Amino acid sequence: MNLRQAAIGAAAIDSGAIVVFSAIGRASHDEGILGPGGAGLATTASPFLTGAALGWVIARAWRRPCDWRRTGVIVWASTLVGGMALRAVYGQGVQVSFVIVAGTVLAVLLVGWRVASGWIARRRGLKG
């Protein structure tokens, strides 16, 4: 796998993780996936996806997409801070308990897969 493929895969995993996080959140509040007007999941996920995209630019994630320290932590922090800031701008909830839960879950999802992939690569003797 080359670096371009790794970056595309990492971006897909990050995006998928954020969409899953958003879907679980909506389901836990009995909001349904589509919600009123049919844009529920998109409305919930978009602030976090935007924050993640900003994190990718800040970290230059395409250079080291699977590095949990140089990329994962920055993408996670940007997803959380950017997502919460945009939620506040859009008039969505940003209660302290939600920030704590979101921060924890997003860390597990966005940093966790990178830690796991690095561990697997080291076990197999691969660089990256």
Side-chain angles (χ1 to χ4, degrees), residues 30-86:
D30 295 324
E31 294 175 327
I33 296 298
L34 296 179
L41 183 58
T43 300
T44 302
S46 65
F48 297 105
L49 290 168
T50 302
L54 179 61
W56 266 72
V57 171
I58 292 168
R60 296 180 181 183
W62 54 90
R63 292 182 175 182
R64 289 188 171 101
C66 300
D67 186 323
W68 74 267
R69 289 178 192 98
R70 295 182 196 148
T71 301
V73 171
I74 293 170
V75 170
W76 163 73
S78 181
T79 301
L80 181 63
V81 173
M84 292 300 169
L86 287 172

